[in-house]
Amino acid sequence: MLMSLFQFTARRLASQVYCGLKASSSKKPKFCMEMARPSSNMADFREVFAKAKHIVIITGAGVSAESGVPTFRGAGGFWRKWQAQELATPEAFARNPSRVWEFYHYRREVMLSKHPNPAHIAIAECEKRLSKQGRSVVVITQNIDELHRKAGTKHLLEIHGSLFKTRCTNCGNVAADYKSPICPALAGKGAPDPDTEDAAIPVEELPHFGRTWRLSPGEKGARRTAAMDSSVPMLYGLVKPWIPTFSLRWKRSLIFVTSAW
């Protein structure tokens, strides 16, 4: 099953570069580049894979589709009236942090009910088995659902961040947060129906770093008093989902810009 995950031959991943001299009026050498075409020849793949000491597996939305994870791509790929890329920007968060948090709250709640599918498990088992042979496997994924992690993958690079991590807008702290809901004000919010109105949650009620939501009124007052005392280090800041700003496509290459906004 694992082999079916790879639709190309590792041998053809690298570019084949050659140069030659051709007669020209300028007498200058001309350099030519030829890109190897992807191959689905499984015999070639098995041969190269069996000898490989360092293996990289790259995954995208397709690997999680069988788990029932919405892709928000193509026809019908909308949350209310917006596509994901319209909300996954610093500008969108600056304009309407409540709307952006509703969108990501909805996605977080959906993902809490999803589980790794056989593809995730096969990849994790591959890493485990090959590590015993002294071979390394690294998984690079665009997905923000953490299903590779749930399946047991250890060497994982989540280039688009995670639904379950946040970044403080004040201090830049990145922290994991699996609470459901992430804050009381988002409970029951985030419905994807296009007729749903924005909740317009006040900024002070959105997720914050350094805030404990279940304090009693008296405890909250004591905490505010402590925050005014410079001898007590306390940090409070609005947090936003830990996701990249954008990805830049150029011809057949894909360059990911992953600076969390």
Side-chain angles (χ1 to χ4, degrees):
M1 173 183 174
L2 176 62
M3 296 303 177
S4 66
L5 298 174
F6 301 86
Q7 298 301 315
F8 52 82
T9 305
R11 173 182 295 168
R12 300 178 184 271
L13 283 177
S15 299
Q16 297 175 342
V17 182
Y18 70 93
C19 63
L21 297 177
K22 292 184 179 181
S24 68
S25 58
S26 65
K27 303 297 183 182
K28 293 182 179 179
K30 292 185 178 180
F31 296 90
C32 304
M33 178 180 289
E34 180 180 302
M35 298 298 294
R37 292 186 178 183
S39 169
S40 57
N41 186 306
M42 295 306 294
D44 283 353
F45 171 78
R46 291 188 180 97
E47 178 185 348
V48 175
F49 187 79
K51 298 175 183 177
K53 297 296 183 183
H54 305 286
I55 300 159
V56 175
I57 300 174
I58 303 173
T59 68
V63 77
S64 293
E66 190 177 333
S67 294
V69 178
T71 63
F72 293 102
R73 293 181 180 179
F78 286 81
W79 177 83
R80 295 183 184 168
K81 297 178 287 187
W82 298 277
Q83 289 188 309
Q85 56 267 37
E86 296 179 78
L87 299 172
T89 68
E91 293 79 14
F93 190 81
R95 285 193 302 269
N96 197 327
S98 173
R99 177 186 297 155
V100 171
W101 260 120
E102 275 199 89
F103 172 59
Y104 280 97
H105 166 68
Y106 165 75
R107 298 185 73 178
R108 283 167 57 94
E109 295 300 301
V110 168
M111 281 314 309
L112 287 172
S113 68
K114 304 302 179 184
H115 304 283
N117 64 52
H120 297 109
I121 295 169
I123 291 171
E125 287 298 317
C126 172
E127 178 192 19
K128 181 178 179 181
R129 186 179 77 248
L130 296 187
S131 67
K132 296 177 181 178
Q133 303 173 9
R135 302 162 69 189
S136 67
V137 175
V138 175
V139 177
I140 301 176
T141 186
Q142 301 178 50
N143 299 339
I144 59 177
D145 52 39
E146 293 199 6
L147 290 181
H148 280 299
R149 195 178 301 279
K150 285 184 179 181
T153 293
K154 304 298 182 186
H155 297 92
L156 178 65
L157 177 59
E158 297 166 315
I159 61 174
H160 280 186
S162 166
L163 282 171
F164 301 100
K165 289 180 181 176
T166 61
R167 182 181 178 92
C168 179
T169 57
N170 281 353
C171 66
N173 180 74
V174 175
D177 194 323
Y178 296 90
K179 293 193 299 293
S180 173
I182 190 171
C183 70
L186 283 167
K189 303 298 192 297
D193 188 273
D195 295 327
T196 303
E197 293 186 6
D198 286 353
I201 300 169
V203 171
E204 60 270 19
E205 296 181 24
L206 292 172
H208 280 67
F209 171 61
R211 175 176 293 173
T212 302
W213 293 102
R214 290 177 180 160
L215 294 176
S216 68
E219 289 173 318
K220 287 180 181 177
R223 194 150 194 176
R224 281 194 294 271
T225 301
M228 297 171 65
D229 184 349
S230 60
S231 65
V232 181
M234 303 191 74
L235 293 173
Y236 290 92
L238 177 67
V239 299
K240 47 193 173 185
W242 190 61
I243 53 175
T245 307
F246 60 88
S247 64
L248 173 65
R249 294 184 180 273
W250 179 74
K251 292 186 177 180
R252 297 180 65 179
S253 300
L254 180 59
I255 304 171
F256 295 101
V257 180
T258 59
S259 55
W261 47 267

